[in-house]
Short mmCIF file of all heavy atoms in Angstrom, two decimals:
data_model
loop_
_atom_site.label_atom_id
_atom_site.label_comp_id
_atom_site.label_asym_id
_atom_site.label_seq_id
_atom_site.Cartn_x
_atom_site.Cartn_y
_atom_site.Cartn_z
N MET A 108 16.83 -26.38 2.14
CA MET A 108 17.21 -26.74 0.79
C MET A 108 15.97 -27.06 -0.03
O MET A 108 15.00 -27.59 0.51
CB MET A 108 18.11 -27.99 0.80
CG MET A 108 19.56 -27.71 0.92
SD MET A 108 20.56 -29.15 0.50
CE MET A 108 20.66 -29.92 2.09
N THR A 109 16.08 -26.76 -1.28
CA THR A 109 14.99 -27.13 -2.19
C THR A 109 15.11 -28.62 -2.52
O THR A 109 16.15 -29.24 -2.26
CB THR A 109 15.06 -26.33 -3.49
OG1 THR A 109 16.25 -26.72 -4.20
CG2 THR A 109 15.06 -24.83 -3.24
N GLU A 110 14.07 -29.17 -3.11
CA GLU A 110 14.10 -30.59 -3.49
C GLU A 110 15.20 -30.84 -4.52
O GLU A 110 15.90 -31.86 -4.45
CB GLU A 110 12.75 -31.04 -4.04
CG GLU A 110 12.72 -32.53 -4.29
CD GLU A 110 11.33 -33.07 -4.58
OE1 GLU A 110 10.34 -32.38 -4.29
OE2 GLU A 110 11.27 -34.20 -5.08
N ALA A 111 15.38 -29.91 -5.44
CA ALA A 111 16.45 -30.05 -6.44
C ALA A 111 17.82 -30.06 -5.77
O ALA A 111 18.71 -30.83 -6.17
CB ALA A 111 16.36 -28.93 -7.47
N GLU A 112 18.00 -29.22 -4.77
CA GLU A 112 19.27 -29.17 -4.04
C GLU A 112 19.49 -30.45 -3.24
O GLU A 112 20.62 -30.94 -3.16
CB GLU A 112 19.32 -27.94 -3.14
CG GLU A 112 19.44 -26.65 -3.90
CD GLU A 112 19.29 -25.42 -3.03
OE1 GLU A 112 18.55 -25.46 -2.03
OE2 GLU A 112 19.92 -24.40 -3.38
N VAL A 113 18.44 -30.98 -2.66
CA VAL A 113 18.54 -32.25 -1.92
C VAL A 113 19.02 -33.34 -2.88
O VAL A 113 19.94 -34.10 -2.57
CB VAL A 113 17.19 -32.63 -1.27
CG1 VAL A 113 17.22 -34.07 -0.76
CG2 VAL A 113 16.84 -31.67 -0.14
N ASN A 114 18.41 -33.40 -4.05
CA ASN A 114 18.81 -34.40 -5.05
C ASN A 114 20.25 -34.20 -5.49
O ASN A 114 20.99 -35.17 -5.67
CB ASN A 114 17.86 -34.37 -6.26
CG ASN A 114 16.48 -34.87 -5.90
OD1 ASN A 114 16.31 -35.68 -5.01
ND2 ASN A 114 15.49 -34.37 -6.60
N GLU A 115 20.67 -32.95 -5.66
CA GLU A 115 22.04 -32.67 -6.05
C GLU A 115 23.02 -33.05 -4.93
O GLU A 115 24.10 -33.57 -5.20
CB GLU A 115 22.20 -31.19 -6.43
CG GLU A 115 23.57 -30.84 -6.98
CD GLU A 115 23.92 -31.57 -8.26
OE1 GLU A 115 23.02 -31.94 -9.04
OE2 GLU A 115 25.13 -31.78 -8.50
N PHE A 116 22.63 -32.80 -3.70
CA PHE A 116 23.46 -33.20 -2.56
C PHE A 116 23.65 -34.71 -2.57
O PHE A 116 24.78 -35.20 -2.44
CB PHE A 116 22.79 -32.76 -1.25
CG PHE A 116 23.56 -33.13 0.00
CD1 PHE A 116 24.47 -32.25 0.54
CD2 PHE A 116 23.35 -34.36 0.63
CE1 PHE A 116 25.19 -32.59 1.70
CE2 PHE A 116 24.06 -34.70 1.77
CZ PHE A 116 24.98 -33.81 2.31
N ILE A 117 22.58 -35.46 -2.75
CA ILE A 117 22.64 -36.92 -2.79
C ILE A 117 23.56 -37.38 -3.91
O ILE A 117 24.42 -38.25 -3.72
CB ILE A 117 21.23 -37.52 -2.93
CG1 ILE A 117 20.44 -37.28 -1.63
CG2 ILE A 117 21.30 -39.01 -3.26
CD1 ILE A 117 18.96 -37.57 -1.75
N LYS A 118 23.40 -36.79 -5.08
CA LYS A 118 24.22 -37.15 -6.24
C LYS A 118 25.69 -36.83 -5.99
O LYS A 118 26.57 -37.66 -6.27
CB LYS A 118 23.72 -36.38 -7.46
CG LYS A 118 24.48 -36.66 -8.73
CD LYS A 118 23.93 -35.84 -9.87
CE LYS A 118 24.82 -35.92 -11.09
NZ LYS A 118 24.37 -35.02 -12.16
N THR A 119 25.97 -35.66 -5.45
CA THR A 119 27.34 -35.25 -5.20
C THR A 119 28.00 -36.14 -4.15
O THR A 119 29.14 -36.59 -4.32
CB THR A 119 27.39 -33.78 -4.75
OG1 THR A 119 26.81 -32.97 -5.77
CG2 THR A 119 28.82 -33.33 -4.48
N MET A 120 27.30 -36.42 -3.09
CA MET A 120 27.89 -37.23 -2.03
C MET A 120 28.08 -38.67 -2.47
O MET A 120 29.01 -39.35 -2.01
CB MET A 120 27.05 -37.15 -0.75
CG MET A 120 26.98 -35.75 -0.14
SD MET A 120 28.53 -34.81 -0.15
CE MET A 120 29.60 -35.84 0.80
N ALA A 121 27.27 -39.17 -3.38
CA ALA A 121 27.45 -40.52 -3.90
C ALA A 121 28.79 -40.65 -4.62
O ALA A 121 29.39 -41.73 -4.62
CB ALA A 121 26.30 -40.88 -4.84
N GLU A 122 29.28 -39.55 -5.18
CA GLU A 122 30.59 -39.56 -5.83
C GLU A 122 31.70 -39.81 -4.82
O GLU A 122 32.80 -40.23 -5.19
CB GLU A 122 30.83 -38.24 -6.55
CG GLU A 122 29.89 -38.01 -7.72
CD GLU A 122 29.98 -36.61 -8.31
OE1 GLU A 122 30.86 -35.82 -7.90
OE2 GLU A 122 29.15 -36.31 -9.18
N TYR A 123 31.43 -39.57 -3.55
CA TYR A 123 32.37 -39.81 -2.46
C TYR A 123 32.05 -41.13 -1.74
O TYR A 123 32.56 -41.38 -0.65
CB TYR A 123 32.32 -38.67 -1.44
CG TYR A 123 32.86 -37.35 -1.96
CD1 TYR A 123 32.04 -36.48 -2.69
CD2 TYR A 123 34.16 -36.97 -1.71
CE1 TYR A 123 32.53 -35.28 -3.17
CE2 TYR A 123 34.67 -35.77 -2.18
CZ TYR A 123 33.84 -34.94 -2.91
OH TYR A 123 34.34 -33.74 -3.37
N ASP A 124 31.17 -41.93 -2.34
CA ASP A 124 30.68 -43.17 -1.72
C ASP A 124 30.01 -42.90 -0.37
O ASP A 124 30.09 -43.71 0.55
CB ASP A 124 31.80 -44.20 -1.56
CG ASP A 124 32.31 -44.69 -2.90
OD1 ASP A 124 31.50 -44.86 -3.82
OD2 ASP A 124 33.54 -44.90 -3.03
N ASP A 125 29.37 -41.76 -0.26
CA ASP A 125 28.65 -41.35 0.94
C ASP A 125 27.17 -41.30 0.58
O ASP A 125 26.70 -40.33 -0.01
CB ASP A 125 29.17 -39.97 1.40
CG ASP A 125 28.62 -39.55 2.75
OD1 ASP A 125 28.40 -40.42 3.60
OD2 ASP A 125 28.44 -38.33 2.94
N ILE A 126 26.47 -42.37 0.88
CA ILE A 126 25.10 -42.55 0.41
C ILE A 126 24.10 -41.96 1.41
O ILE A 126 24.16 -42.25 2.61
CB ILE A 126 24.80 -44.06 0.19
CG1 ILE A 126 25.87 -44.69 -0.72
CG2 ILE A 126 23.40 -44.26 -0.37
CD1 ILE A 126 26.06 -44.00 -2.06
N TRP A 127 23.18 -41.14 0.88
CA TRP A 127 22.15 -40.48 1.67
C TRP A 127 20.78 -40.72 1.05
O TRP A 127 20.66 -40.86 -0.16
CB TRP A 127 22.39 -38.97 1.68
CG TRP A 127 23.56 -38.53 2.49
CD1 TRP A 127 24.88 -38.68 2.19
CD2 TRP A 127 23.52 -37.87 3.76
NE1 TRP A 127 25.65 -38.14 3.18
CE2 TRP A 127 24.84 -37.64 4.14
CE3 TRP A 127 22.48 -37.45 4.57
CZ2 TRP A 127 25.16 -36.99 5.34
CZ3 TRP A 127 22.81 -36.80 5.76
CH2 TRP A 127 24.13 -36.59 6.14
N THR A 128 19.74 -40.73 1.91
CA THR A 128 18.37 -40.71 1.42
C THR A 128 17.85 -39.27 1.50
O THR A 128 18.43 -38.43 2.21
CB THR A 128 17.45 -41.60 2.28
OG1 THR A 128 17.36 -41.04 3.60
CG2 THR A 128 17.97 -43.04 2.34
N LYS A 129 16.76 -39.01 0.82
CA LYS A 129 16.16 -37.66 0.88
C LYS A 129 15.80 -37.31 2.32
O LYS A 129 16.05 -36.19 2.76
CB LYS A 129 14.92 -37.58 -0.01
CG LYS A 129 15.24 -37.53 -1.47
CD LYS A 129 13.98 -37.39 -2.30
CE LYS A 129 14.35 -37.35 -3.78
NZ LYS A 129 13.17 -37.18 -4.63
N ASP A 130 15.20 -38.26 3.03
CA ASP A 130 14.81 -38.00 4.42
C ASP A 130 16.01 -37.66 5.30
O ASP A 130 15.92 -36.77 6.15
CB ASP A 130 14.06 -39.20 5.00
CG ASP A 130 12.66 -39.36 4.44
OD1 ASP A 130 12.12 -38.38 3.88
OD2 ASP A 130 12.11 -40.48 4.55
N GLN A 131 17.11 -38.36 5.10
CA GLN A 131 18.31 -38.08 5.89
C GLN A 131 18.84 -36.68 5.62
O GLN A 131 19.22 -35.97 6.55
CB GLN A 131 19.40 -39.10 5.58
CG GLN A 131 19.14 -40.48 6.13
CD GLN A 131 20.15 -41.49 5.64
OE1 GLN A 131 20.56 -41.48 4.48
NE2 GLN A 131 20.58 -42.37 6.54
N VAL A 132 18.86 -36.30 4.35
CA VAL A 132 19.36 -34.96 3.99
C VAL A 132 18.47 -33.89 4.60
O VAL A 132 18.95 -32.93 5.21
CB VAL A 132 19.45 -34.78 2.45
CG1 VAL A 132 19.86 -33.36 2.10
CG2 VAL A 132 20.41 -35.79 1.84
N ILE A 133 17.17 -34.06 4.46
CA ILE A 133 16.23 -33.07 4.99
C ILE A 133 16.33 -32.97 6.51
O ILE A 133 16.36 -31.88 7.07
CB ILE A 133 14.79 -33.39 4.53
CG1 ILE A 133 14.68 -33.18 3.01
CG2 ILE A 133 13.77 -32.55 5.28
CD1 ILE A 133 13.42 -33.76 2.40
N CYS A 134 16.41 -34.12 7.17
CA CYS A 134 16.50 -34.13 8.64
C CYS A 134 17.81 -33.49 9.12
O CYS A 134 17.80 -32.74 10.09
CB CYS A 134 16.40 -35.57 9.14
SG CYS A 134 16.45 -35.73 10.93
N THR A 135 18.90 -33.76 8.42
CA THR A 135 20.21 -33.29 8.86
C THR A 135 20.52 -31.88 8.40
O THR A 135 21.05 -31.07 9.16
CB THR A 135 21.31 -34.25 8.36
OG1 THR A 135 21.01 -35.58 8.79
CG2 THR A 135 22.68 -33.85 8.89
N TYR A 136 20.21 -31.58 7.14
CA TYR A 136 20.63 -30.32 6.54
C TYR A 136 19.48 -29.48 5.97
O TYR A 136 19.74 -28.47 5.32
CB TYR A 136 21.63 -30.59 5.40
CG TYR A 136 22.93 -31.18 5.85
CD1 TYR A 136 23.30 -32.47 5.49
CD2 TYR A 136 23.82 -30.44 6.63
CE1 TYR A 136 24.51 -33.01 5.89
CE2 TYR A 136 25.03 -30.97 7.04
CZ TYR A 136 25.37 -32.25 6.67
OH TYR A 136 26.57 -32.78 7.07
N GLY A 137 18.26 -29.86 6.22
CA GLY A 137 17.12 -29.21 5.61
C GLY A 137 17.03 -27.70 5.80
O GLY A 137 16.55 -26.99 4.92
N GLU A 138 17.50 -27.21 6.92
CA GLU A 138 17.42 -25.77 7.22
C GLU A 138 18.64 -25.00 6.72
O GLU A 138 18.69 -23.78 6.84
CB GLU A 138 17.24 -25.56 8.72
CG GLU A 138 15.98 -26.18 9.29
CD GLU A 138 14.71 -25.57 8.70
OE1 GLU A 138 14.66 -24.33 8.53
OE2 GLU A 138 13.79 -26.34 8.40
N ARG A 139 19.63 -25.70 6.20
CA ARG A 139 20.86 -25.05 5.74
C ARG A 139 20.82 -24.85 4.22
O ARG A 139 20.05 -25.49 3.52
CB ARG A 139 22.06 -25.92 6.08
CG ARG A 139 22.28 -26.07 7.56
CD ARG A 139 23.38 -27.04 7.80
NE ARG A 139 24.33 -26.48 8.75
CZ ARG A 139 25.36 -27.15 9.22
NH1 ARG A 139 25.61 -28.37 8.84
NH2 ARG A 139 26.17 -26.58 10.07
N SER A 140 21.71 -24.00 3.75
CA SER A 140 21.83 -23.82 2.31
C SER A 140 22.55 -25.04 1.72
O SER A 140 23.28 -25.75 2.41
CB SER A 140 22.63 -22.56 1.99
OG SER A 140 23.99 -22.73 2.32
N PHE A 141 22.35 -25.25 0.44
CA PHE A 141 23.01 -26.35 -0.26
C PHE A 141 24.52 -26.24 -0.11
O PHE A 141 25.21 -27.21 0.22
CB PHE A 141 22.61 -26.34 -1.74
CG PHE A 141 23.41 -27.27 -2.59
CD1 PHE A 141 23.20 -28.64 -2.54
CD2 PHE A 141 24.38 -26.79 -3.45
CE1 PHE A 141 23.94 -29.51 -3.32
CE2 PHE A 141 25.12 -27.65 -4.24
CZ PHE A 141 24.90 -29.01 -4.18
N GLU A 142 25.05 -25.05 -0.33
CA GLU A 142 26.50 -24.83 -0.28
C GLU A 142 27.05 -25.12 1.12
O GLU A 142 28.10 -25.75 1.27
CB GLU A 142 26.84 -23.40 -0.69
CG GLU A 142 26.55 -23.07 -2.14
CD GLU A 142 25.08 -22.73 -2.42
OE1 GLU A 142 24.29 -22.57 -1.46
OE2 GLU A 142 24.74 -22.63 -3.60
N ASP A 143 26.34 -24.67 2.15
CA ASP A 143 26.77 -24.91 3.52
C ASP A 143 26.72 -26.39 3.85
O ASP A 143 27.65 -26.93 4.46
CB ASP A 143 25.90 -24.10 4.48
CG ASP A 143 26.34 -24.22 5.93
OD1 ASP A 143 27.56 -24.13 6.17
OD2 ASP A 143 25.47 -24.40 6.80
N ALA A 144 25.65 -27.06 3.46
CA ALA A 144 25.51 -28.49 3.74
C ALA A 144 26.61 -29.29 3.05
O ALA A 144 27.23 -30.17 3.66
CB ALA A 144 24.14 -28.98 3.28
N LEU A 145 26.87 -28.98 1.81
CA LEU A 145 27.89 -29.69 1.05
C LEU A 145 29.28 -29.45 1.65
O LEU A 145 30.05 -30.40 1.84
CB LEU A 145 27.86 -29.22 -0.40
CG LEU A 145 28.46 -30.14 -1.45
CD1 LEU A 145 27.79 -31.51 -1.43
CD2 LEU A 145 28.34 -29.51 -2.81
N ALA A 146 29.59 -28.23 1.99
CA ALA A 146 30.89 -27.92 2.59
C ALA A 146 31.05 -28.62 3.93
O ALA A 146 32.11 -29.18 4.22
CB ALA A 146 31.04 -26.41 2.76
N ASN A 147 29.99 -28.62 4.74
CA ASN A 147 30.04 -29.28 6.03
C ASN A 147 30.28 -30.77 5.89
O ASN A 147 31.14 -31.34 6.58
CB ASN A 147 28.74 -29.01 6.80
CG ASN A 147 28.73 -29.67 8.15
OD1 ASN A 147 28.18 -30.76 8.31
ND2 ASN A 147 29.32 -29.01 9.12
N ARG A 148 29.55 -31.41 5.00
CA ARG A 148 29.70 -32.86 4.85
C ARG A 148 31.06 -33.23 4.28
O ARG A 148 31.67 -34.21 4.71
CB ARG A 148 28.57 -33.42 3.98
CG ARG A 148 28.57 -34.92 3.96
CD ARG A 148 28.38 -35.52 5.35
NE ARG A 148 28.51 -36.96 5.30
CZ ARG A 148 28.72 -37.73 6.35
NH1 ARG A 148 28.78 -37.20 7.55
NH2 ARG A 148 28.83 -39.02 6.21
N LYS A 149 31.55 -32.46 3.32
CA LYS A 149 32.87 -32.74 2.76
C LYS A 149 33.94 -32.61 3.85
O LYS A 149 34.89 -33.39 3.89
CB LYS A 149 33.16 -31.81 1.59
CG LYS A 149 32.41 -32.20 0.33
CD LYS A 149 32.76 -31.27 -0.81
CE LYS A 149 32.06 -31.66 -2.09
NZ LYS A 149 32.42 -30.75 -3.20
N LYS A 150 33.79 -31.63 4.73
CA LYS A 150 34.73 -31.46 5.84
C LYS A 150 34.68 -32.68 6.76
O LYS A 150 35.71 -33.18 7.20
CB LYS A 150 34.42 -30.19 6.61
CG LYS A 150 35.37 -29.91 7.74
CD LYS A 150 35.04 -28.62 8.44
CE LYS A 150 35.98 -28.40 9.61
NZ LYS A 150 35.65 -27.17 10.34
N GLU A 151 33.47 -33.15 7.06
CA GLU A 151 33.32 -34.33 7.91
C GLU A 151 33.99 -35.56 7.28
O GLU A 151 34.63 -36.35 7.97
CB GLU A 151 31.85 -34.62 8.18
CG GLU A 151 31.19 -33.60 9.07
CD GLU A 151 29.70 -33.82 9.26
OE1 GLU A 151 29.07 -34.56 8.46
OE2 GLU A 151 29.17 -33.23 10.20
N ILE A 152 33.85 -35.71 5.98
CA ILE A 152 34.46 -36.84 5.27
C ILE A 152 35.99 -36.75 5.37
O ILE A 152 36.66 -37.76 5.60
CB ILE A 152 33.99 -36.90 3.81
CG1 ILE A 152 32.53 -37.36 3.78
CG2 ILE A 152 34.87 -37.83 2.98
CD1 ILE A 152 31.90 -37.28 2.41
N GLU A 153 36.53 -35.55 5.20
CA GLU A 153 37.98 -35.38 5.31
C GLU A 153 38.47 -35.72 6.71
O GLU A 153 39.52 -36.35 6.87
CB GLU A 153 38.38 -33.95 4.94
CG GLU A 153 38.38 -33.70 3.45
CD GLU A 153 39.32 -34.62 2.69
OE1 GLU A 153 40.48 -34.80 3.13
OE2 GLU A 153 38.90 -35.17 1.66
N ILE A 154 37.72 -35.33 7.72
CA ILE A 154 38.09 -35.66 9.10
C ILE A 154 38.08 -37.17 9.31
O ILE A 154 39.02 -37.74 9.89
CB ILE A 154 37.16 -34.95 10.10
CG1 ILE A 154 37.41 -33.44 10.08
CG2 ILE A 154 37.32 -35.53 11.51
CD1 ILE A 154 36.36 -32.63 10.82
N MET A 155 37.06 -37.85 8.81
CA MET A 155 36.98 -39.31 8.94
C MET A 155 38.13 -39.98 8.18
O MET A 155 38.76 -40.91 8.68
CB MET A 155 35.64 -39.83 8.42
CG MET A 155 34.49 -39.55 9.36
SD MET A 155 32.95 -40.33 8.84
CE MET A 155 32.47 -39.28 7.47
N LYS A 156 38.41 -39.49 6.99
CA LYS A 156 39.49 -40.04 6.18
C LYS A 156 40.83 -39.90 6.91
O LYS A 156 41.61 -40.86 6.97
CB LYS A 156 39.55 -39.32 4.84
CG LYS A 156 40.61 -39.81 3.91
CD LYS A 156 40.60 -39.01 2.62
CE LYS A 156 41.82 -39.30 1.79
NZ LYS A 156 41.93 -38.43 0.62
N ASP A 157 41.10 -38.73 7.45
CA ASP A 157 42.34 -38.50 8.19
C ASP A 157 42.43 -39.43 9.41
O ASP A 157 43.50 -39.98 9.70
CB ASP A 157 42.44 -37.05 8.64
CG ASP A 157 42.69 -36.09 7.50
OD1 ASP A 157 43.10 -36.54 6.41
OD2 ASP A 157 42.47 -34.87 7.70
N THR A 158 41.32 -39.60 10.10
CA THR A 158 41.30 -40.49 11.27
C THR A 158 41.61 -41.92 10.87
O THR A 158 42.43 -42.59 11.51
CB THR A 158 39.93 -40.42 11.97
OG1 THR A 158 39.68 -39.07 12.37
CG2 THR A 158 39.87 -41.35 13.18
N PHE A 159 40.97 -42.40 9.80
CA PHE A 159 41.22 -43.77 9.33
C PHE A 159 42.69 -43.95 8.93
O PHE A 159 43.30 -44.98 9.23
CB PHE A 159 40.32 -44.13 8.15
CG PHE A 159 38.87 -44.26 8.53
CD1 PHE A 159 37.89 -43.83 7.64
CD2 PHE A 159 38.46 -44.78 9.74
CE1 PHE A 159 36.55 -43.94 7.98
CE2 PHE A 159 37.13 -44.90 10.08
CZ PHE A 159 36.16 -44.47 9.18
N GLU A 160 43.25 -42.97 8.25
CA GLU A 160 44.64 -43.05 7.83
C GLU A 160 45.59 -43.12 9.03
O GLU A 160 46.55 -43.89 9.03
CB GLU A 160 45.00 -41.87 6.93
CG GLU A 160 44.39 -41.98 5.54
CD GLU A 160 44.63 -40.75 4.67
OE1 GLU A 160 45.23 -39.77 5.15
OE2 GLU A 160 44.21 -40.79 3.51
N ARG A 161 45.29 -42.34 10.07
CA ARG A 161 46.12 -42.39 11.28
C ARG A 161 46.03 -43.75 11.97
O ARG A 161 47.02 -44.28 12.47
CB ARG A 161 45.72 -41.26 12.24
CG ARG A 161 46.38 -39.95 11.88
CD ARG A 161 46.17 -38.90 12.94
NE ARG A 161 45.10 -38.04 12.44
CZ ARG A 161 44.01 -37.72 13.12
NH1 ARG A 161 43.83 -38.10 14.35
NH2 ARG A 161 43.08 -36.95 12.58
N ILE A 162 44.84 -44.31 11.98
CA ILE A 162 44.64 -45.62 12.61
C ILE A 162 45.41 -46.69 11.83
O ILE A 162 46.07 -47.55 12.43
CB ILE A 162 43.14 -45.98 12.69
CG1 ILE A 162 42.46 -45.08 13.72
CG2 ILE A 162 42.95 -47.45 13.03
CD1 ILE A 162 40.95 -45.14 13.71
N LEU A 163 45.34 -46.62 10.51
CA LEU A 163 46.01 -47.62 9.69
C LEU A 163 47.53 -47.54 9.78
O LEU A 163 48.22 -48.54 9.57
CB LEU A 163 45.56 -47.50 8.24
CG LEU A 163 44.11 -47.89 7.98
CD1 LEU A 163 43.73 -47.56 6.53
CD2 LEU A 163 43.87 -49.36 8.27
N LYS A 164 48.06 -46.38 10.11
CA LYS A 164 49.51 -46.20 10.21
C LYS A 164 50.08 -46.77 11.51
O LYS A 164 51.28 -46.92 11.64
CB LYS A 164 49.88 -44.72 10.11
CG LYS A 164 49.74 -44.17 8.72
CD LYS A 164 50.14 -42.71 8.67
CE LYS A 164 49.95 -42.18 7.26
NZ LYS A 164 50.31 -40.74 7.21
N ARG A 165 49.22 -47.09 12.44
CA ARG A 165 49.68 -47.62 13.74
C ARG A 165 50.26 -48.98 13.60
O ARG A 165 50.04 -49.81 12.91
CB ARG A 165 48.54 -47.67 14.75
CG ARG A 165 48.13 -46.30 15.19
CD ARG A 165 47.06 -46.41 16.23
NE ARG A 165 46.61 -45.10 16.63
CZ ARG A 165 45.69 -44.88 17.51
NH1 ARG A 165 45.07 -45.89 18.09
NH2 ARG A 165 45.34 -43.67 17.83
#
């Protein structure tokens, strides 16, 4: 990802209350495209959300 894409990833994920640093983004998703990284992280958030909802329903 480019530096601009890293910054956009951070900004976008903050809208989901998912806070990242530049170093974390680069370490985790640096070799991936912006679109792929964003899609992957959004999917992970949905999985976590579903898990939390199932736990709370118990």
Side-chain angles (χ1 to χ4, degrees):
M108 270 195 271
T109 66
E110 186 169 344
E112 290 171 329
V113 169
N114 291 331
E115 186 62 28
F116 180 91
I117 291 168
K118 180 181 170 186
T119 301
M120 296 319 300
E122 294 171 6
Y123 292 85
D124 294 323
D125 188 33
I126 307 305
W127 288 73
T128 66
K129 287 182 180 182
D130 288 340
Q131 288 172 320
V132 176
I133 292 167
C134 182
T135 305
Y136 294 114
E138 299 298 318
R139 295 174 131 175
S140 70
F141 170 74
E142 294 81 9
D143 184 44
L145 201 58
N147 180 263
R148 188 60 185 163
K149 285 182 178 181
K150 182 178 178 182
E151 290 176 343
I152 288 173
E153 283 301 314
I154 291 169
M155 286 187 285
K156 181 181 169 187
D157 290 343
T158 301
F159 291 143
E160 287 175 357
R161 277 189 259 128
I162 290 169
L163 291 173
K164 287 181 181 179
R165 289 183 183 179

